[in-house]
Amino acid sequence: MTKARIAAAALALLVLASGRVRAEAGDAQAAISPAAPERPAHFTLADASPSIDALLGRLLDALASNDVDALQRLRMTEAEYRTFVLPGSVEPGQPPRAYEEGPSKWAWHNVDTNSHYAAAAMIKGYGGQRYTLKEVKYLKGHGTYAWYDAYRTVSLTLVDEKGQSGELVLGSIADIDGQFKFISLLGNP
């Protein structure tokens, strides 16, 4: 089992364990798991890009214009993450995961908070300059999940106008029905 799958399994267990309802002595309530969601025939993402190249072009434009809000629009919204990415992050052919409200919100909060910090750091380190994209790598490869494909941990080699190059590591890109968005802006090499 790869490190990525071990980490994903550990996160899933943590999320699932934190969402369980426990029956105490004398408590007559039973724990009821939420019903497993069904994948929509076509899931429309807000403000998605038609390709990875277009998404990365928008990223470079946002950096050049110091636009942190534009960076945030390149990633999943809360609804997209909680209703599509989380349930569909299982092996192809497996049933989707059903999450209770608390664990689902907790997972989103982590992704959202980390992405806000990552966007601020990107603007601080790369903002206000025009870059040329020299190379794109997917440090953790390509993953196929039940409801989407992911290009995991994106590494960009960028060249500035003076010819200096640097590496920018971002989170994963999701391909949902030919629509592309970052799942998170924070990458872990």
Side-chain angles (χ1 to χ4, degrees):
M1 190 178 275
T2 67
K3 288 182 182 179
R5 286 191 179 177
I6 292 170
L11 177 60
L13 287 174
L14 178 63
V15 169
L16 291 173
S18 66
R20 287 202 175 123
V21 176
R22 297 174 197 213
E24 300 293 333
D27 187 356
Q29 295 179 359
I32 299 173
S33 298
E38 289 188 33
R39 187 196 194 285
H42 180 77
F43 190 83
T44 301
L45 299 174
D47 203 17
S49 295
S51 67
I52 290 176
D53 289 340
L55 180 65
L56 297 179
R58 290 176 61 196
L59 174 89
L60 296 179
D61 290 344
L63 292 175
S65 62
N66 270 327
D67 191 343
V68 72
D69 292 330
L71 284 176
Q72 295 296 345
R73 286 190 300 273
L74 301 177
R75 68 183 181 91
M76 296 286 156
T77 65
E78 180 177 3
E80 292 164 348
Y81 183 78
R82 290 180 59 208
T83 63
F84 196 89
V85 171
L86 272 180
S89 294
V90 294
E91 296 288 325
Q94 295 298 310
R97 287 189 185 121
Y99 289 92
E100 291 181 9
E101 185 79 6
S104 174
K105 282 190 174 214
W106 178 82
W108 165 252
H109 176 74
N110 286 335
V111 166
D112 187 47
T113 300
N114 289 334
S115 290
H116 280 284
Y117 284 120
M122 279 188 270
I123 292 295
K124 184 176 180 182
Y126 292 89
Q129 296 185 55
R130 178 65 57 191
Y131 291 93
T132 302
L133 184 57
K134 182 178 178 183
E135 183 178 19
V136 179
K137 293 181 188 173
Y138 306 108
L139 300 178
K140 295 183 181 175
H142 172 260
T144 299
Y145 298 95
W147 290 5
Y148 66 95
D149 283 352
Y151 299 87
R152 301 182 303 218
T153 309
V154 180
S155 170
L156 307 177
T157 302
L158 304 176
V159 179
D160 68 15
E161 295 171 329
K162 297 176 186 175
Q164 300 292 317
S165 65
E167 180 184 36
L168 177 59
V169 178
L170 301 157
S172 299
I173 295 173
D175 172 359
I176 298 172
D177 299 329
Q179 306 165 93
F180 296 84
K181 285 181 95 169
F182 284 97
I183 295 172
S184 169
L185 293 177
L186 180 66
N188 298 316

